[in-house]
């Protein structure tokens, strides 16, 4: 038994040993703490690490875990907003660190090679940061690493082959970077890996061999690269344990290998968006364990195999855009566990099988952009209680929208647009209180907008355009406070806007155009909003625009054209720097334009024509450098045209006509290198027309200078700049001298040349006859001498046989559009804010003013007609004016013309028509004989020529030996006043105006 002294000495020794051990441990943790604090100090943002201080032990800090001895084992700092690099982190001070997880921060810079000194590291997760540069090959020295996650960074260059030699690695994720092809020959198999992801990189070539040799992989994602060639037949043999296979968005080709049927553990197969062909193989129906099948985006072709209905466990089926041609198999209704299916963008036909109601767990259903028809089975909505997304747009579904739709109360997205649905909007839609997006546009829906829609308080998008809706917008619209998009354009809505519309505090897009709205717009509309789009065009609104309409200064597209607005424009427009598209023409706006518009750097088109705007053109317009269309014609603007406008190098159409501009045209006008149309006619401009240097590729097609006081000789600049010119109008100026002979060769495309009421003199150059496209020539009221060139007989465009453009063939479509609905054909592509609107430019092409039938008319483009009047003309039920005079129409007037009950103007004179003039209905109101004059074969009312029992045949040949016509007019006017006013298509062909050709014309 030890003595008391010996026992005390033993206890003392033990205490000393413990103190020494603790001192060593404290020293180790102190060095680790100092390393971590030094790294924290280097970070630009580390507010989440506020408890990392010397006042507390490192093991108590956020994200730090230690072992019993106080050494740091784990550092987990996920999603803390840390910003900076890893350069200042001393990894040698953390020898026991087993886990480093910095996922989802804002770390950047290179991944330090010194990470390889963490010999105890088992998990490294640097995913979802901003690391760049190469992956250090030294990471291959981390022999204990089991889990490597570097996904979703900016890493580049080749994948280091050293990583394939990590002996214990199981989870290998390098996805979503910019990695390129490694030297695969230096890669080793990775037999320990069960999770491998290389998705969304720049990898190419065939299926990587080292992947095929990694035999224990159960999860493989190679999607969103550029791998090509066929999917290997050996894949099931090499990777027999696969449960998840994603090869989507690559360039794999060939058929879907039949060997895939051997992957008995495969539950998730995603091979969409490749170049796979050969149809959907039947063997897929035998893979009963399948949960996800994505084959879309391949040119597979063929039908949907009914055997897919055997996949009882299937939860997701994606066959979109696969060139499938078939009906929908009723057997798909057996997929009782299906939650998502997308069959859109194929060539599926037939009807929706009622058996699909058996997919009772379906949440998202998409069959858009197919050729499906018939009615939607109501049982779908009563049998699918979990439905949240229903998209069947761009088909040919008919009938009424089933009122049972109100039973699908979880619906969030309902897209039925671009079909042939009829009837009214079911009031039951108001029961879908979870609805976020509702689109019923481009159908044939009638009746009122239901008041019950006011219940949809979560709705952000309501689009009802291109229907036949009537009545007013219900006041309950103001209850839909989440609404961001309201589009009801092109209906028959009427009345005033409800004042409750100002309650839509989140509204960004408002489209009301092409309706019959009247009254004023609520004055508070726009207050507190950030409207980006506002479209009121083609209505009968009156009064002033709301001055707060652009209160949020976010307005980009603004159209109020063709209304009765008056007063000044909202002054806040001046500060809307994001304006892109503005149409305000044909109103009664007043005020100084320079006080309304400012600097709009992305403005593409502006049309304020046909108003009463005053003021001068500000040089600030030159800062709208993206402007392509500028139309300010028919206003009261004055002053000079500033030279600063020449900086608008993107401008394609400039119309300043019919104003009070004075001074000289800027000499720099040819710097407008994109200009196609220019009209400064009917102003007070004077001086010589500016000359400039040659521009070989100047695209100008129409130049109108008429009714000014330009002087000097024929503009010589046209010879060198304007080889593409089609229309040239210099009439009513003070030009002098000869017409240059070069005009016959330098402007070979010219169709319209009008030079009347000038002081031109000399002889008419015979070179004009070289203008083979010329259709309109007016040299009247000048001082020409000499004779008419005999070579004018070569003006072939004035004597060629007209082409037939009418056809008796009905417009073909799936019942959507026929002649009864002409208005839909002519305006179907219109939207509130077209990104590129060629019509704003096209409407000016080949425009010219001539005197016809006693008054000045504006004509543009050309139409040439011969042949007969088609029977189908009776389908133009909205036609108000029809002028087919001075053509070569032959045959009988079709009896169907009597069906044109809206017709108020008719002119069929000067043709080759014959037979009995139809009677009855509206035709009885046309009692003027001149309507049918100079058609020797016609008989009957109102002509004095009676018809014989056998009918009247025309035995006379109409003498048309004259090769030159003064005026051959085709004027077809489609008036659709009940919809949006009058559309006029008045298109002349073959004009030649020389006042001194009377004798020749009488020969």
């Amino acid at each position: 038994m030890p003595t008391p002294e010996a026992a005390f000495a033993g206890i003392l020794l033990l205490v000393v040993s413990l103190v020494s051990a603790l001192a060593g441990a404290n020293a180790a943790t102190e060095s680790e703490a100092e390393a971590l604090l030094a790294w924290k100090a280097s970070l630009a943002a580390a507010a989440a690490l506020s408890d990392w201080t010397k006042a507390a032990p490192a093991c108590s800090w956020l994200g730090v875990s230690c072992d019993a001895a106080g050494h740091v084992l784990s550092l987990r700092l996920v999603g803390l907003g840390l910003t900076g690099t890893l350069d200042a982190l001393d990894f040698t001070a953390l020898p026991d660190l087993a886990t480093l997880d910095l996922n989802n921060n804002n770390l950047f810079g290179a991944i330090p090679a010194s990470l390889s000194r963490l010999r105890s590291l088992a998990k490294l997760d640097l995913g979802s940061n901003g690391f760049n540069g190469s992956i250090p090959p030294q990471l291959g020295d981390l022999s204990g690493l089991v889990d490597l996650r570097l996904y979703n960074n900016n890493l580049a260059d080749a994948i280091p082959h050293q990583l394939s030699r990590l002996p214990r690695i199981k989870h290998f994720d390098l996805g979503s970077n910019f990695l390129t092809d490694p030297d695969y020959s230096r890669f080793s198999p990775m037999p320990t890996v069960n999770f491998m992801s290389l998705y969304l990189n720049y990898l190419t070539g065939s299926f990587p061999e080292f992947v095929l040799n990694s035999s224990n992989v159960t999860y493989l994602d190679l999607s969103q690269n550029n791998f090509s060639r066929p999917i290997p037949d050996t894949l099931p043999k090499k990777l027999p344990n696969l449960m998840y296979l994603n090869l989507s968005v690559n360039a794999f080709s060939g058929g879907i290998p039949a060997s895939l049927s051997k992957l008995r553990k495969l539950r998730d197969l995603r091979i969409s968006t490749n170049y796979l062909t050969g149809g959907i193989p039947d063997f897929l129906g035998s893979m009963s364990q399948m949960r996800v099948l994505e084959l879309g985006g391949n040119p597979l072709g063929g039908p949907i195999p009914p055997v897919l209905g055997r996949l009882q466990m299937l939860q997701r089926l994606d066959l979109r855009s696969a060139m499938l041609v078939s009906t929908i198999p009723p057997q798909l209704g057996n997929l009782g566990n299906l939650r998502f299916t997308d069959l859109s963008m194929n060539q599926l036909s037939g009807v929706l099988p009622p058996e699909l109601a058996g997919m009772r767990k379906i949440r998202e259903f998409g069959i858009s952009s197919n050729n499906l028809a018939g009615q939607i089975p109501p049982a779908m909505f009563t049998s699918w209680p979990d439905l949240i997304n229903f998209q069947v747009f761009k088909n040919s579904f008919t009938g009424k929208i089933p009122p049972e739709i109100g039973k699908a109360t979880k619906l969030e997205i309902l897209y039925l647009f671009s079909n042939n649905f009829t009837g009214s909007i079911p009031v039951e839609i108001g029961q879908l209180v979870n609805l976020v997006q509702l689109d019923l546009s481009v159908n044939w829906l009638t009746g009122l907008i239901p008041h019950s829609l006011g219940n949809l308080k979560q709705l952000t998008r309501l689009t009802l355009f291109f229907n036949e809706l009537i009545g007013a917008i219900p006041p309950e619209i103001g209850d839909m406070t989440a609404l961001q998009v309201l589009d009801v354009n092109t209906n028959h809505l009427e009345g005033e806007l409800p004042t409750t519309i100002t309650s839509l505090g989140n509204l960004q897009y408002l489209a009301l155009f092409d309706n019959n709205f009247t009254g004023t717009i609520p004055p508070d509309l726009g207050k507190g909003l950030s409207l980006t789009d506002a479209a009121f065009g083609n209505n009968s609104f009156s009064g002033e625009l709301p001055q707060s309409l652009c209160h949020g200064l976010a307005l980009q597209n603004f159209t109020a054209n063709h209304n009765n607005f008056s007063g000044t424009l909202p002054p806040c427009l001046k500060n809307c720097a994001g304006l892109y598209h503005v149409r305000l023409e044909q109103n009664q706006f007043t005020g100084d334009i320079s006080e309304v518009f400012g600097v709009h750097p992305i403005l593409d088109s502006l049309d304020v024509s046909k108003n009463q705007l005053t003021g001068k053109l500000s040089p600030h317009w030159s800062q709208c450098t993206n402007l392509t269309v500028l139309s300010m014609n028919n206003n009261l603007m004055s002053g000079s045209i500033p030279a600063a406008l020449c900086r608008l190098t993107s401008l394609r159409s400039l119309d300043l006509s019919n104003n009070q501009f004075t001074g000289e045209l800027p000499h720099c006008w040819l710097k407008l290198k994109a200009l196609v149309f220019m009209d400064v006619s009917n102003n007070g401009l004077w001086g010589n027309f500016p000359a400039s240097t040659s521009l070989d590729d100047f695209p100008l097609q129409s130049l109108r200078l008429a009714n000014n006081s330009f002087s000097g000789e024929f503009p010589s600049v046209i010879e060198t700049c304007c080889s593409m010119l089609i229309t040239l109008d210099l009439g009513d100026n003070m030009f002098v001298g000869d017409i240059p002979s070069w005009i016959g060769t330098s402007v070979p495309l010219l169709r319209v040349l009008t030079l009347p009421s000038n002081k031109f003199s000399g002889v008419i150059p015979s070179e004009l006859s070289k203008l083979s496209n010329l259709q309109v020539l007016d040299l009247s009221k000048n001082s020409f001498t000499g004779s008419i060139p005999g070579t004018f007989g070569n003006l072939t465009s004035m004597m060629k046989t007209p082409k037939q453009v009418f056809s008796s063939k009905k417009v073909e479509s799936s019942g959507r559009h026929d002649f009864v609905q002409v208005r839909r054909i002519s305006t179907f592509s219109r939207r509130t804010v077209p990104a590129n609107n060629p019509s704003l430019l096209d409407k000016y092409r080949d425009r010219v003013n001539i005197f016809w039938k006693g008054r000045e008319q504006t004509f543009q483009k050309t139409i040439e007609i011969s042949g007969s009047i088609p029977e189908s003309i009776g389908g133009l039920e909205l036609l108000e004016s029809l002028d087919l005079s001075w053509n070569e129409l032959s045959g009988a007037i079709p009896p169907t013309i009597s069906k044109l009950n809206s017709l108020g103007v008719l002119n069929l004179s000067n043709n080759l028509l014959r037979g009995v003039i139809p009677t009855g209905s509206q035709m009885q109101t046309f009692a003027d004989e001149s309507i049918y004059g100079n058609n020797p074969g016609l008989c009957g009312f109102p002509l004095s020529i009676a018809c014989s029992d056998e009918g009247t045949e025309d035995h006379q040949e109409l003498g048309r030996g004259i090769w030159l016509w003064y005026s051959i007019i085709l004027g077809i006017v489609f008036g659709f006043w009940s919809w949006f006013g009058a559309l006029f298509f008045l298109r002349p062909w073959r004009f030649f105006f020389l006042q001194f050709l009377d004798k020749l014309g009488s020969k």
Side-chain angles (χ1 to χ4, degrees):
M1 182 173 183
T3 64
E5 293 79 4
F8 177 76
I11 293 172
L12 182 62
L13 181 61
L14 178 61
V15 170
V16 171
S17 299
L18 287 173
V19 169
S20 299
L22 288 174
N26 286 337
T29 55
E30 285 176 8
S31 64
E32 291 171 338
E34 289 175 359
L36 293 176
L37 287 174
W39 177 57
K40 173 191 172 183
S42 73
L43 297 176
L49 305 183
S50 59
D51 66 340
W52 282 27
T53 65
K54 292 183 178 180
C59 296
S60 67
W61 294 350
L62 176 68
V64 178
S65 298
C66 301
D67 61 11
H71 297 297
V72 176
L73 293 181
S74 172
L75 193 59
R76 287 189 173 93
L77 304 173
V78 178
L80 299 181
L82 305 179
T83 303
T85 71
L86 295 180
D87 295 341
L89 184 54
D90 183 5
F91 295 107
T92 59
L94 302 167
D96 298 306
L97 192 66
T99 298
L100 178 58
D101 189 348
L102 303 177
N103 191 285
N104 193 24
N105 283 285
N106 301 315
L107 302 173
F108 55 88
I111 296 176
S114 57
L115 272 170
S116 62
R117 298 174 184 173
L118 297 173
R119 297 298 182 181
S120 299
L121 198 64
K123 178 178 180 178
L124 176 60
D125 189 347
L126 303 180
S128 295
N129 281 284
F131 290 110
N132 54 30
S134 303
I135 297 175
Q138 292 86 346
L139 294 186
D141 297 333
L142 294 171
S143 58
L145 199 63
V146 175
D147 193 333
L148 176 62
R149 308 182 191 216
L150 304 180
Y151 65 89
N152 199 19
N153 280 285
N154 298 315
L155 301 172
D157 300 327
I159 302 172
H161 65 87
Q162 290 87 347
L163 298 184
S164 68
R165 295 185 175 89
L166 291 168
R168 299 182 181 179
I169 193 73
K170 291 184 177 180
H171 193 107
F172 186 69
D173 193 346
L174 308 182
S176 191
N177 282 287
F178 299 92
L179 301 172
T180 56
D181 292 325
D183 183 356
Y184 287 119
S185 66
R186 303 184 68 182
F187 266 70
S188 301
M190 302 178 73
T192 60
V193 171
N194 52 44
F195 182 105
M196 180 180 292
S197 175
L198 303 176
Y199 84 99
L200 194 54
N201 279 288
Y202 290 136
L203 305 177
T204 63
S206 57
F207 202 102
E209 191 66 27
F210 89 94
V211 175
L212 286 174
N213 292 327
S214 302
S215 56
N216 284 308
V217 170
T218 61
Y219 182 106
L220 177 61
D221 190 349
L222 303 181
S223 65
Q224 300 184 69
N225 281 285
N226 197 28
F227 291 116
S228 58
R229 301 177 188 172
I231 299 172
D233 278 324
T234 58
L235 188 147
K237 182 179 180 180
K238 295 290 189 72
L239 303 175
N241 298 311
L242 271 179
M243 300 176 65
Y244 177 99
L245 175 62
N246 192 346
L247 306 179
S248 299
V249 194
N250 276 286
F252 288 112
S253 58
I256 299 174
S259 60
L260 294 185
S261 63
K262 299 177 182 178
L263 292 171
R264 294 303 178 185
K265 297 180 181 179
L266 190 66
R267 300 173 58 175
D268 199 323
L269 176 61
R270 307 180 189 224
I271 52 177
S272 61
T273 315
N274 281 283
Y275 298 103
L276 301 174
T277 57
I280 300 174
D282 285 344
F283 75 78
L284 291 174
S286 65
M287 302 179 73
S288 58
Q289 77 283 1
M290 196 79 71
R291 265 68 166 179
V292 175
L293 180 60
E294 294 187 356
L295 309 178
N298 286 291
L300 290 168
I304 300 175
V307 293
L308 293 186
R310 300 175 184 173
L311 301 177
Q312 298 291 315
M313 304 301 294
L314 198 66
Q315 298 176 10
R316 182 180 179 90
L317 176 63
D318 184 354
L319 304 179
R320 59 182 170 78
S321 190
M323 296 187 179
L324 302 178
V325 182
S326 72
T327 57
I328 297 177
Q331 290 85 348
L332 294 187
N334 297 327
L335 302 177
N337 286 295
L338 200 65
R339 290 164 172 78
F340 173 97
T341 184
D342 189 352
L343 310 179
S344 61
M345 293 182 286
N346 284 290
Q347 300 175 45
L348 303 178
S349 57
V351 301
L352 279 180
E355 291 85 352
L356 295 185
M359 300 188 300
R360 296 186 180 276
K361 291 186 179 180
I362 196 74
R363 292 172 54 84
E364 299 182 63
F365 182 76
I367 52 168
S368 59
S369 300
N370 280 288
N371 302 317
L372 297 165
Q375 300 187 11
I376 294 180
M380 285 185 168
F381 302 113
T382 57
S383 303
W384 295 353
D386 296 323
L387 186 66
I388 62 171
N389 189 340
F390 188 76
Q391 301 190 28
V392 299
F393 60 90
K394 292 187 179 178
N395 280 285
S396 297
F397 289 117
T398 56
K400 296 182 178 181
I401 299 173
E404 289 83 355
I405 199 169
K407 301 293 184 182
T409 55
K410 293 183 180 181
L411 261 177
E412 297 176 6
I413 298 176
L414 178 58
Y415 282 173
L416 306 181
F417 64 88
S418 295
N419 280 286
N420 291 318
F421 290 116
T422 55
S424 58
I425 299 173
V427 296
E428 290 81 0
I429 287 183
Q431 301 172 18
L432 305 177
V433 294
N434 293 300
L435 209 57
V436 177
Q437 298 190 38
L438 173 62
D439 194 337
L440 308 179
S441 59
V442 197
N443 280 288
W444 300 107
L445 299 174
T446 56
L448 305 173
I449 298 175
H451 292 258
S452 63
L453 294 190
N455 298 328
L456 306 180
K457 297 185 182 349
Q458 297 187 45
L459 198 69
T460 62
R461 178 185 180 90
L462 175 61
T463 47
L464 305 175
F465 62 86
F466 274 63
N467 278 289
E468 305 289 334
L469 300 174
I470 61 173
I473 294 178
E476 288 82 0
I477 194 79
D479 297 333
M480 304 167 70
T481 52
L483 208 59
Q484 299 175 14
V485 174
L486 175 60
D487 192 344
V488 296
N489 84 73
T490 318
N491 280 282
H492 303 296
L493 299 173
E494 58 189 11
E496 297 191 11
L497 294 183
T499 56
T500 55
I501 200 171
T502 60
S503 301
L504 301 178
N506 293 294
L507 195 63
Q508 299 175 18
Y509 183 106
L510 177 62
L512 308 175
F513 65 90
D514 287 348
N515 278 288
N516 302 316
F517 291 119
T518 56
T520 59
I521 295 176
D524 290 335
L525 184 62
K527 186 176 294 185
L529 299 182
S530 294
L531 273 176
T532 61
D533 297 79
F536 307 110
N538 293 312
N539 281 286
S540 297
F541 287 119
S542 58
E544 292 193 6
L545 285 169
Q547 297 299 292
S548 58
L549 190 65
C550 43
H551 182 265
L553 305 181
L555 204 59
Q556 299 174 15
N557 301 284
F558 179 35
T559 60
N561 51 296
H562 295 86
N563 278 285
N564 298 313
F565 288 117
S566 58
T568 58
L569 291 165
C572 51
L573 284 173
K574 191 166 189 174
N575 297 316
C576 291
L579 273 181
Y580 179 79
H581 177 73
V582 179
R583 289 191 65 184
L584 306 174
E585 72 269 19
Q586 291 202 345
N587 282 285
Q588 302 171 42
F589 291 121
T590 57
D592 190 332
I593 194 169
S594 62
E595 296 178 358
V596 178
F597 294 100
V599 176
H600 310 285
I602 66 169
L603 185 64
D604 177 79
S605 58
L606 174 72
D607 191 342
V608 294
S609 60
K610 297 183 180 179
N611 281 287
Q612 301 172 33
L613 297 170
T614 59
K616 299 180 179 180
L617 274 179
S618 167
H620 291 313
W621 286 106
S622 64
Q623 299 181 50
C624 301
T625 52
N626 285 314
L627 200 61
T628 62
V629 175
L630 180 60
S631 300
M632 297 182 169
N633 52 292
N634 293 86
N635 279 286
L636 303 172
M637 300 174 64
S638 58
S640 61
I641 299 174
L645 288 186
C646 297
R647 299 174 193 163
L648 299 177
T649 53
S650 297
L651 198 64
R652 300 184 65 207
S653 176
L654 175 64
D655 193 345
L656 304 178
S657 62
N658 293 285
N659 277 287
Q660 299 170 14
F661 291 115
T662 57
E664 294 187 278
L665 193 67
H667 285 249
C668 59
W669 72 279
L670 277 177
K671 291 183 179 179
L672 300 172
K673 58 183 180 181
L675 199 63
V676 175
F677 174 89
M678 177 175 173
D679 189 349
V680 294
S681 60
N682 297 299
N683 279 288
L685 302 172
W686 50 268
N688 291 348
F689 188 74
S692 184
T693 56
S694 172
L695 282 178
D696 294 336
D697 57 349
F698 198 61
L700 190 67
Q701 295 182 20
S702 183
L703 178 61
R704 303 192 73 231
L705 310 176
N707 200 16
N708 281 286
S709 298
F710 289 114
S711 57
E713 295 185 343
F714 194 101
S716 60
V717 68
I718 293 174
E719 178 183 12
T720 55
C721 82
C722 306
S723 62
M724 300 180 67
L725 202 62
I726 293 174
T727 300
L728 177 61
D729 186 357
L730 307 182
D732 293 281
N733 280 287
M734 295 187 290
F735 289 110
V736 299
D738 297 342
I739 298 178
S741 59
W742 50 257
I743 196 169
T745 54
S746 297
V747 282
L749 303 178
L750 204 63
R751 298 180 195 168
V752 177
L753 177 61
T754 58
L755 311 177
S757 301
N758 278 285
K759 297 180 181 180
F760 288 116
S761 58
V763 298
I764 300 172
S766 60
E767 286 81 2
L768 283 174
S769 62
K770 297 179 181 179
L771 297 173
S772 59
N773 295 296
L774 196 64
Q775 297 174 352
V776 178
L777 176 61
D778 189 348
L779 307 178
S780 62
K781 297 183 182 179
N782 280 286
S783 301
F784 292 115
T785 59
S787 59
I788 300 168
T791 55
F792 273 16
N794 297 328
L795 293 172
T796 55
S797 286
M798 295 188 179
M799 59 186 293
K800 65 183 180 181
T801 302
K803 300 175 182 177
Q804 181 174 351
V805 297
F806 268 163
S807 172
S808 59
K809 182 179 180 181
K810 192 173 183 179
V811 177
E812 294 181 358
S813 70
S814 59
R816 282 248 355 115
H817 307 299
D818 52 32
F819 281 150
V820 177
Q821 298 294 339
V822 168
R823 65 184 179 88
R824 288 184 174 265
I825 293 176
S826 61
T827 62
F828 187 81
S829 64
R830 287 180 21 164
R831 288 292 183 267
T832 312
V833 287
N836 296 296
N837 188 354
S839 65
L840 288 177
L841 180 61
D842 291 345
K843 69 178 182 178
Y844 299 116
R845 300 272 175 88
D846 300 339
R847 189 177 74 182
V848 65
N849 289 352
I850 65 169
F851 281 91
W852 173 56
K853 298 189 177 181
R855 59 187 177 131
E856 189 177 44
Q857 301 277 4
T858 299
F859 294 97
Q860 59 193 66
K861 296 195 181 278
T862 58
I863 288 184
E864 302 171 340
I865 290 184
S866 64
S868 61
I869 302 174
E871 287 283 342
S872 54
I873 198 169
L876 294 169
E877 295 180 356
L878 301 177
L879 196 63
E880 293 182 354
S881 181
L882 177 63
D883 188 344
L884 302 178
S885 60
W886 288 103
N887 281 285
E888 296 182 4
L889 294 170
S890 58
I893 302 173
T896 57
I897 202 170
S898 62
K899 296 180 181 180
L900 303 179
N901 294 326
S902 299
L903 199 64
V905 176
L906 178 64
N907 190 353
L908 302 179
S909 63
N910 298 289
N911 279 288
L912 302 172
L913 299 170
R914 65 181 66 189
V916 180
I917 297 173
T919 58
S921 190
Q922 193 73 1
M923 298 300 292
Q924 295 299 109
T925 65
F926 300 116
D928 185 354
E929 293 190 15
S930 65
I931 291 174
Y932 307 100
N934 202 14
N935 284 282
L938 289 179
C939 64
F941 177 84
L943 300 179
S944 58
I945 305 173
C947 297
S948 64
D949 293 339
E950 294 81 12
T952 301
E953 295 292 332
D954 179 19
H955 298 291
Q956 304 179 28
E957 291 293 332
L958 185 61
R960 300 201 173 195
I962 303 175
W963 57 268
L964 186 62
W965 292 84
Y966 283 49
S967 175
I968 301 178
I969 308 291
L970 168 64
I972 303 177
V973 184
F974 293 89
F976 301 129
W977 296 102
S978 62
W979 189 43
F980 66 92
L983 286 173
F984 293 97
F985 299 96
L986 297 175
R987 306 185 179 186
W989 62 281
R990 301 192 300 178
F991 292 96
F992 188 73
F993 288 96
L994 290 172
Q995 285 190 339
F996 33 76
L997 289 182
D998 290 344
K999 292 184 179 180
L1000 180 61
S1002 62
K1003 289 183 180 179

